[in-house]
Amino acid sequence: MRVTHPVRILLLASFITALVLGTATAETVNPDLLKHSWQARWITHPDGPQREFGVFHFRKVISLDSAPSQFVVHVTGDNRYELFVNGVRVAAGPARGDLFHWRFESVDIASHLRAGQNVLAAVVWNYAELAPMAQMTNETGFLLQGDGATESVVNTNSSWKCLRDEALTPIPWDPNKVSGYFVVGPGEDWNGALYPWGWETLNYNDAGWKSARQLDPGAPRGARDSHSRWMLVARPIPLMEEKVERLARVARAEGVEPPAGFLEGKSPLTVAAQKHATILLDRTHLTSGYPEIIVSGGHGARITLAYAESLVDKNRQKGNRNEVEGKVMRGFEDIFRPDG
């Protein structure tokens, strides 16, 4: 991790919080939804683009007379999506498939709902030609269908609002940093000054958002007279387990001295104005995760997070993964630019 300009950083964990919700299975999906076209429509941003790079936010406020004991929804997106309920992330997907077997996730969101107003929100990425090798795609789209009559209030249609996110710029593969066969998606360069902070929460003001544009109705694979190119099938595997894991050690630091308690999330690290700092953090074993940092200040700063299985020597050889002396990081990178 490299940081420039004044910023206080609190490194929380290598994983974001776990998904805490019930998951429905194909056996619990309303049988009609596995045979006939859905009431919900695929939706997208009215100004597109549809098959080019873009990140889009969708949201809908609903009102409930009471907190439900069960509220099952079925959700998917193209290329990738995350679903939030009242600010809490409850699902991400879809599971890998193709246009003839486009997966949808089924989740019970009742525990996140309350009497009165609630907001459902989703973010959808379309990485277009930069998408991972395994990513099949038709066009940018989001779809959410309630399991029954009670849940149908959340069905996607033109009543949903949407916004194109201008904060993200993809970072294409750089063979000088990651050589060899490359099949994953791009890195991400986020500008905090352009990000719509709080978009997934109920109190966010979405007055400037546009009404979503409707596409074809959702339809299961084999549905009669369906025009949808996404042939829907239920996700065959459970949602991936997520748990919090903390990074284990500071392997190397230049330009700053991480304080005691930094890795435990108890003490922030401060980088002074106009300074450049590099911190090498080690989990000590191979894991897959989503790094999370909290920052304050740092207007005009640039935080680069790079990830690699190990460092390499001058000959680009890994050698012993535990050794760091004389080795450099050559890996996948993301960039975050704090808004201060």
Side-chain angles (χ1 to χ4, degrees):
M1 180 169 62
R2 297 188 297 278
V3 184
T4 58
H5 294 263
V7 59
R8 289 166 62 84
I9 300 172
L10 182 60
L11 186 62
L12 293 184
S14 60
F15 276 91
I16 58 176
T17 54
L19 297 177
V20 283
L21 71 160
T23 57
T25 64
E27 289 73 22
T28 62
V29 177
N30 183 336
D32 284 344
L33 299 178
L34 299 176
K35 299 177 182 178
H36 307 292
S37 293
W38 294 5
Q39 292 181 350
R41 306 285 292 261
W42 282 89
I43 58 174
T44 191
H45 193 280
D47 302 327
Q50 289 304 100
R51 291 185 169 88
E52 299 174 13
F53 169 79
V55 179
F56 305 91
H57 299 280
F58 300 89
R59 52 183 275 134
K60 180 180 176 67
V61 176
I62 63 171
S63 184
L64 299 175
D65 294 334
S66 60
S69 59
Q70 178 175 295
F71 202 99
V72 175
V73 299
H74 312 292
V75 56
T76 188
D78 186 350
N79 300 165
R80 311 293 296 166
Y81 78 89
E82 290 183 329
L83 176 67
F84 297 79
V85 178
N86 290 327
V88 178
R89 192 178 77 125
V90 299
R96 292 296 186 197
D98 55 52
L99 294 180
F100 298 101
H101 307 84
W102 196 269
R103 315 294 184 184
F104 65 87
E105 280 69 45
S106 300
V107 293
D108 185 352
I109 62 173
S111 63
H112 301 285
L113 297 172
R114 53 181 176 257
Q117 287 194 323
N118 298 264
V119 62
L120 278 74
V123 57
V124 173
W125 291 265
N126 186 341
Y127 280 124
E129 72 276 6
L130 297 177
M133 184 73 72
Q135 182 64 58
M136 301 292 107
T137 180
N138 175 31
E139 61 181 319
T140 301
F142 177 66
L143 177 70
L144 189 143
Q145 167 74 49
D147 191 62
T150 300
E151 296 97 337
S152 65
V153 65
V154 304
N155 290 356
T156 44
N157 50 39
S158 59
S159 67
W160 279 67
K161 291 189 171 185
C162 60
L163 174 77
R164 182 170 183 179
D165 191 338
E166 303 292 345
L168 174 60
T169 302
I171 304 174
W173 169 51
D174 184 347
N176 293 317
K177 294 180 178 178
V178 183
S179 59
Y181 186 48
F182 191 80
V183 297
V184 303
E188 299 180 342
D189 187 337
W190 285 95
N191 186 339
L194 299 178
Y195 188 74
W197 299 105
W199 66 272
E200 75 279 22
T201 62
L202 182 61
N203 294 329
Y204 179 85
N205 183 2
D206 60 9
W209 289 34
K210 297 184 177 182
S211 296
R213 179 164 67 91
Q214 295 184 165
L215 302 174
D216 292 329
R221 178 176 169 81
R224 183 176 180 179
D225 297 331
S226 168
H227 298 288
S228 176
R229 295 194 179 187
W230 297 280
M231 298 183 183
L232 299 173
V233 295
R235 180 187 180 107
I237 57 176
L239 291 170
M240 295 180 67
E241 177 187 347
E242 295 183 3
K243 61 182 180 180
V244 175
E245 289 189 6
R246 307 210 70 87
L247 290 161
R249 73 183 183 110
V250 176
R252 190 166 64 197
E254 300 173 6
V256 69
E257 182 65 33
F262 171 59
L263 289 183
E264 292 77 19
K266 299 177 181 178
S267 301
L269 178 149
T270 300
V271 179
Q274 307 303 319
K275 296 296 183 181
H276 183 279
T278 302
I279 309 168
L280 178 62
L281 303 169
D282 186 6
R283 180 67 190 97
T284 71
H285 65 261
L286 184 62
T287 190
S288 297
Y290 303 94
E292 182 178 24
I293 60 174
I294 291 178
V295 303
S296 64
H299 179 71
R302 169 179 165 141
I303 302 172
T304 301
L305 297 102
Y307 324 99
E309 176 186 301
S310 69
L311 305 186
V312 296
D313 60 23
K314 61 182 180 180
N315 297 317
R316 295 200 174 190
Q317 298 300 307
K318 296 177 181 178
N320 188 323
R321 268 75 166 168
N322 295 323
E323 296 176 355
V324 300
E325 291 301 321
K327 293 185 176 182
V328 297
M329 166 76 76
R330 292 190 181 276
F332 195 74
E333 292 184 352
D334 291 322
I335 296 172
F336 176 59
R337 303 174 191 272
D339 59 359

